[in-house]
Amino acid sequence: MRLAMLARNAGLYSHQRLVEAAVARGHTLDVINTLHVHMNITSNRPVLRYGGKTLPLYDAVIPRIGASITHYGLAVLRQFEMQGVFPLNESVAIGRARDKLRALQLLARAGIGLPVTAFAHGPRKAEDVIKEVGGTPVVIKLVEGTQGMGVILAETEASAKSIVEAFSAANINILVQEYIAEAEGRDVRALVVGGRVVAAMERVGKTGEFRSNLHRGGITAEANITEEEQAAAVQAASVLGLNVAGVDMLRSNRGPMVVEVNASPGLKGIERATNVDVAGEIIAFIEAAAAHGATETKGQKG
């Protein structure tokens, strides 16, 4: 198969591993800088141009779109979809996952365990929002934050009120969530590929840090997750329509609590913690999905 990957930095571990896994299985994988793609939006002839040349028709595309270029990246991915190229994750699904508020609303509607979360606009609502999640301490999150950035733990009502009011005055939308104390700065990431958990790791925040993200200095170890946690992770990915997702969960006294679903999960931490060939699992899924799509096409023609 001829595959494409939308990514700005071909040298990242995750991107190199996907290329290695594709080549090992006899495929070609072109890494395409998302921001350098030009689109010709013409009726019945969707065209993508890169480096002054028209891109060939690929069998599948792997979107590794950074959060800072979500809008343009999804537009490029939609152009691939218009050409009939199979997307590892569809543009609509990635858009759902990137909008934290919408993602939480969809997960809540499906009955998936979540920390109590409140969303409001305006400083006059600060006290009500804090009270809504059970009082302090509370976790305050930017709706579009990633990798632990834009996540603040407010331990007192005064500090929580001050932070909420400051963000509101700057016209920045935030989420306020209950703090799951029993998680003790740990969370579990389950890597879902094609409707099953292929690997899972526990992430532990560094001393004095409640965020467990690797980019914040957290450490990882392989996790033995329960059937309930596996089911929650698979359902969360399915609700958002993601074929591949990193589902982050807290272990609470009320069961697993999903805090985020990542549509472009990094592979470095989880592969090294578990020794699972996650990149290979992803390429194998693409092979099966592309073959299934080809079979459906033949059936429709017949």
Side-chain angles (χ1 to χ4, degrees):
M1 292 192 301
R2 188 166 192 178
L3 311 176
M5 177 162 56
L6 294 174
R8 294 174 67 188
N9 185 352
L12 290 181
Y13 175 94
S14 299
H15 304 159
Q16 289 182 336
R17 284 287 298 116
L18 287 165
V19 171
E20 290 170 2
V23 171
R25 289 173 169 269
H27 311 301
T28 61
L29 176 52
D30 297 335
V31 181
I32 299 169
N33 188 319
T34 315
L35 292 181
H36 294 174
V37 177
H38 301 270
M39 292 167 283
N40 186 331
I41 303 171
T42 306
S43 296
N44 302 319
R45 291 186 59 193
V47 174
L48 288 151
R49 292 183 62 79
Y50 184 72
K53 298 180 181 180
T54 299
L55 285 173
L57 189 62
Y58 290 95
D59 296 295
V61 57
I62 301 173
R64 301 286 302 182
I65 300 167
S68 63
I69 62 164
T70 295
H71 183 75
Y72 190 78
L74 293 186
V76 173
L77 179 58
R78 284 194 296 271
Q79 193 82 345
F80 275 99
E81 291 170 349
M82 288 172 62
Q83 291 182 328
V85 179
F86 172 77
L88 178 62
N89 279 329
E90 293 184 352
S91 56
V92 172
I94 296 173
R96 291 189 195 108
R98 290 283 166 86
D99 184 337
K100 289 185 180 179
L101 177 59
R102 186 183 184 198
L104 289 173
Q105 289 173 322
L106 292 170
L107 296 175
R109 184 176 68 181
I112 294 170
L114 304 169
V116 178
T117 305
F119 176 79
H121 184 76
R124 295 179 182 177
K125 300 293 184 181
E127 297 91 340
D128 293 342
V129 170
I130 296 165
K131 186 182 298 182
E132 192 72 29
V133 301
T136 54
V138 296
V139 177
I140 300 171
K141 298 180 177 181
L142 296 181
V143 173
E144 297 180 351
T146 61
Q147 299 176 348
M149 294 181 287
V151 180
I152 304 167
L153 174 63
E155 301 189 69
T156 68
E157 185 168 348
S159 64
K161 185 172 180 291
S162 176
I163 294 167
V164 172
E165 290 177 348
F167 280 127
S168 298
N171 200 34
I172 297 173
N173 292 325
I174 58 171
L175 299 172
V176 180
Q177 289 186 329
E178 69 170 316
Y179 175 61
I180 308 297
E182 59 268 27
E184 298 180 333
R186 300 168 180 260
D187 74 2
V188 171
R189 166 163 288 191
L191 208 302
V192 178
V193 178
R196 65 188 182 92
V197 175
V198 299
M201 65 178 175
E202 183 179 58
R203 304 185 298 186
V204 184
K206 66 180 181 180
T207 304
E209 174 61 78
F210 81 99
R211 296 168 295 181
S212 57
N213 306 71
L214 299 187
H215 292 84
R216 307 267 71 82
I219 59 174
T220 64
E222 186 172 9
N224 294 316
I225 62 174
T226 66
E227 290 185 4
E228 185 181 13
E229 289 168 339
Q230 289 190 48
V234 169
Q235 186 182 9
S238 176
V239 166
L240 297 184
L242 295 169
N243 294 317
V244 172
V247 182
D248 298 338
M249 299 175 285
L250 299 177
R251 287 172 162 164
S252 80
N253 295 333
R254 307 194 303 273
M257 297 283 180
V258 174
V259 291
E260 187 170 359
V261 182
N262 193 316
S264 297
L267 306 185
K268 185 175 182 178
I270 200 159
E271 284 198 338
R272 291 186 173 179
T274 64
N275 290 319
V276 174
D277 180 10
V278 177
E281 293 281 357
I282 291 172
I283 299 301
F285 168 76
I286 292 174
E287 290 174 345
H292 180 70
T295 300
E296 283 189 341
T297 303
K298 289 178 182 178
Q300 291 170 357
K301 289 181 178 179

